Amino acid sequence: ESHSPTERASERPGRDAARRAGSMAEQGTAAQGQPGALGQHDVGGKDPTGFAAPGTLAPGAREEDFPMLLWEKQMHSLLAVLARKGHISVDELRRGVEGLPENVYARCSYYGKWARSMLAISLERNVLSDEDVRAHILPDWQGEENSAAPFQVDDYVRVREESFLSNFQRPHLRTPGYIFGAVGRIERLVGEFAAPELLAFRREGPKQTLYRVRFRQKDIWERYQGKENDTIDVEIYHPWLSAATAEDFEAQRELAAKRAEVARKLEKQNIEHQHGLAHDHDHAHSHGHGHGHGDGHKHEHEDHTHEARAVVEQTAVDREGPPSEDEQFAGGLVRALVAKGVITQEELTKAVEAAETKGSIANGARIVVRAWKDSDFKQRLLTDANEAVRELGLEASNPHAATKLVVVENDKDNHNMLVCTLCSCYPTGLLGPSPAWYKSRSYRARVVREPRAVLEEFGTSLPDDVHLHVHDSTADCRYMVLPQAPENLSTASEDELVALVTRDRLIGVSR
């Protein structure tokens, strides 16, 4: 576009202001924020659309919290057992969870992620071996060895498709995804090499045979525009290949031809459709009226609905009970560790029993009621909660990592609310396991973005003049809310006061 000197001059101040604003943002003087920047686990503040329908978090509108199953309790306690032995740390567990392949992360239950992370770290630290994995967890896992006799030049082979659900860490793959499942022919044997998928994690194993495998381009790309016999050669290690036949190769060729024909027809229809729209548009302008779908009619392709990926992931988190594959995976991990002598079944059982008896909401109630009745104790609690709760014979730090308990006080002018957007940090050693909804992707994403809306779903309406403070437990602090004391504090019995202290009030979703 061309502008007169006067127009350009009048626009310049606004443009200069925008440029200065952009420069300030680059220097960090304006908070822009990047929800999700750390990866799939970093859900705080992400667009909540599709995460959960209104009301699904509220106790009266959502399913009741499911009690932890035995295998989940075992995974929770296994971390403490392995940490005490020096085999894993909490930060390593987190790294392992964050490093899961994306679709594994989406499909696994909460403790299914823990099981896979603990296995990955156990392999990384040589606590377990690939043979242990095959013997107790994943019998068909390829691991580090050639799975069959070497192939020869001109043999037909099929590239196996990666089973990401059996993975327990984001792999370093040198087999590109575009040839998963494709049939080709061995062009040459390159030699034997150390497997890069193992070297990436500083692991060693027998050398693997490397081949160059030749594929027809038209078999790979349905819209390939080249010649019939154009090929592409790809370097592939032996464990990624399985035997195929000439019949498989021809069947692939026929299927590729059919797909290419369908693609051509669709492309032709699309071109004709676009031409028709353009004609209708011109026709409408020439006659001063439109021939669109003013009656609310839609084209067929506009009626397609696709379930948002976030909904699928949220369903995986919130569905009743864990997937059976997670329970089987966790059980295999325990068997492998016991068989290797890393832990004993008795150790794990005692750890589960300790977790069940040590942490509970009753502990929180004792602390709160004492703080309500004893102002000096309340001040000590707000100043140094770890030290204060020891006066009651309690330990605030989690058993598998040193953590700092921070108690935040509600009053008539202030309300506090807790979340952990990166995982689900919670004072489990003091209060027991966190509720299922606290771990959910929806809660973690939305509380920092729209906390008052989430409170409404829990039946809590805050007056506009009450200041709302959200506390995101992203590192080594654990939080507990000190609810506002009741008006009948001086006349209520101990039991009546204890009954007022609920888990939801300690988290801040209830006033």
Side-chain angles (χ1 to χ4, degrees):
E1 291 181 292
S2 62
H3 297 272
S4 69
T6 303
E7 289 174 325
R8 288 197 296 270
S10 66
E11 290 179 354
R12 190 174 297 122
R15 290 185 177 180
D16 289 345
R19 189 177 299 110
R20 286 194 300 272
S23 177
M24 290 171 64
E26 290 174 2
Q27 295 173 22
T29 56
Q32 299 296 313
Q34 298 181 49
L38 301 186
Q40 57 197 353
H41 65 290
D42 182 15
V43 300
K46 293 189 75 172
D47 185 350
T49 302
F51 276 19
T56 56
L57 293 178
R62 60 176 167 81
E63 297 179 13
E64 292 297 321
D65 290 327
F66 301 106
M68 290 178 67
L69 300 178
L70 175 60
W71 77 268
E72 294 175 309
K73 295 177 181 178
Q74 288 178 331
M75 291 301 99
H76 188 91
S77 299
L78 180 59
L79 172 63
V81 173
L82 292 177
R84 283 196 294 267
K85 293 174 178 285
H87 295 315
I88 194 171
S89 69
V90 172
D91 288 304
E92 285 178 311
L93 176 82
R94 291 169 175 161
R95 172 170 63 84
V97 170
E98 294 162 10
L100 288 171
E102 194 171 350
N103 54 349
V104 177
Y105 186 94
R107 288 182 58 182
C108 280
S109 64
Y110 181 77
Y111 286 105
K113 294 182 180 73
W114 277 39
R116 286 165 172 79
S117 175
M118 285 187 278
L119 175 57
I121 302 304
S122 295
L123 284 169
E124 189 176 302
R125 286 189 166 214
N126 295 316
V127 174
L128 294 176
S129 67
D130 294 319
E131 185 54 42
D132 296 322
V133 175
R134 282 191 289 272
H136 301 285
I137 306 172
L138 299 169
D140 298 326
W141 190 52
Q142 293 291 332
E144 60 191 30
E145 301 173 359
N146 289 345
S147 58
F151 297 108
Q152 304 300 319
V153 173
D154 289 335
D155 281 353
Y156 290 96
V157 291
R158 185 186 301 275
V159 182
R160 70 178 177 88
E161 297 189 41
E162 175 64 355
S163 176
F164 284 104
L165 196 59
S166 67
N167 277 339
F168 32 84
Q169 61 190 168
R170 188 181 300 278
H172 172 68
L173 302 182
R174 304 305 300 168
T175 303
Y178 70 85
I179 56 169
F180 283 3
V183 177
R185 298 183 75 175
I186 301 294
E187 187 268 338
R188 74 178 69 172
L189 279 67
V190 180
E192 292 192 340
F193 300 85
E197 296 169 22
L198 300 179
L199 294 177
F201 297 97
R202 293 188 173 231
R203 292 166 56 201
E204 298 180 355
K207 290 186 175 181
Q208 296 181 354
T209 305
L210 180 65
Y211 307 93
R212 276 168 48 98
V213 183
R214 178 162 293 172
F215 304 90
R216 292 178 65 251
Q217 290 276 29
K218 284 185 175 288
D219 292 346
I220 305 299
W221 314 106
E222 62 183 25
R223 285 183 168 84
Y224 185 71
Q225 301 298 314
K227 301 301 181 182
E228 183 69 23
N229 293 320
D230 290 356
T231 62
I232 181 169
D233 292 358
V234 183
E235 300 164 30
I236 307 176
Y237 282 97
H238 187 95
W240 277 87
L241 300 173
S242 62
T245 64
E247 289 75 16
D248 295 329
F249 188 72
E250 286 305 314
Q252 175 180 261
R253 181 194 294 261
E254 293 174 4
L255 180 60
K258 291 178 181 178
R259 287 176 174 169
E261 181 61 27
V262 170
R264 283 192 293 270
K265 289 181 179 179
L266 290 175
E267 188 171 356
K268 181 180 179 182
Q269 291 174 3
N270 185 55
I271 292 173
E272 292 174 347
H273 178 68
Q274 294 299 326
H275 177 73
L277 288 178
H279 175 74
D280 288 347
H281 179 75
D282 292 341
H283 187 63
H285 277 282
S286 64
H287 289 278
H289 64 273
H291 289 260
H293 300 287
D295 57 353
H297 226 41
K298 291 185 177 181
H299 290 289
E300 183 178 353
H301 68 273
E302 293 175 336
D303 292 330
H304 291 309
T305 57
H306 301 279
E307 188 172 24
R309 177 177 179 175
V311 175
V312 176
E313 294 178 350
Q314 181 61 31
T315 300
V317 174
D318 293 338
R319 63 174 173 254
E320 180 176 0
S324 60
E325 59 198 2
D326 281 352
E327 183 174 358
Q328 293 169 2
F329 194 105
L333 175 61
V334 171
R335 288 192 298 273
L337 291 167
V338 170
K340 199 70 175 274
V342 179
I343 67 169
T344 66
Q345 191 66 54
E346 184 180 9
E347 280 181 305
L348 185 58
T349 299
K350 287 183 177 179
V352 170
E353 292 173 351
E356 289 179 329
T357 56
K358 183 180 179 183
S360 73
I361 299 302
N363 293 337
R366 287 179 58 199
I367 297 168
V368 169
V369 172
R370 172 72 179 273
W372 283 345
K373 290 188 166 186
D374 184 340
S375 59
D376 290 337
F377 174 79
K378 183 177 82 169
Q379 189 56 50
R380 293 194 296 274
L381 182 69
L382 297 175
T383 302
D384 187 346
N386 289 64
E387 191 62 33
V389 301
R390 291 192 182 104
E391 299 177 25
L392 303 180
L394 300 173
E395 181 56 53
S397 183
N398 281 349
H400 46 263
T403 52
K404 177 70 174 177
L405 180 65
V406 177
V407 175
V408 289
E409 183 182 12
N410 284 353
D411 56 33
K412 64 182 182 63
D413 298 317
N414 297 276
H415 182 83
N416 296 276
M417 191 175 185
L418 313 181
V419 68
C420 173
T421 57
L422 296 181
C423 48
S424 61
C425 294
Y426 186 79
T428 56
L430 185 66
L431 303 180
S434 59
W437 52 260
Y438 183 85
K439 305 181 184 82
S440 75
R441 196 168 181 264
S442 175
Y443 181 83
R444 290 160 49 210
R446 297 176 60 213
V447 165
V448 294
R449 183 185 181 104
E450 48 182 14
R452 289 179 184 263
V454 173
L455 282 175
E456 289 282 350
E457 293 173 15
F458 277 90
T460 302
S461 298
L462 291 183
D464 292 341
D465 59 350
V466 172
H467 302 294
L468 176 57
H469 310 282
V470 176
H471 304 268
D472 191 356
S473 178
T474 58
D476 294 317
C477 291
R478 301 294 180 268
Y479 295 87
M480 188 183 84
V481 174
L482 175 60
Q484 187 175 1
E487 293 182 357
N488 65 338
L489 177 62
S490 60
T491 59
S493 69
E494 187 84 7
D495 289 343
E496 288 173 333
L497 292 176
V498 166
L500 294 176
V501 184
T502 64
R503 181 194 59 198
D504 286 3
R505 296 189 76 189
L506 294 176
I507 296 175
V509 294
S510 178
R511 182 72 166 152

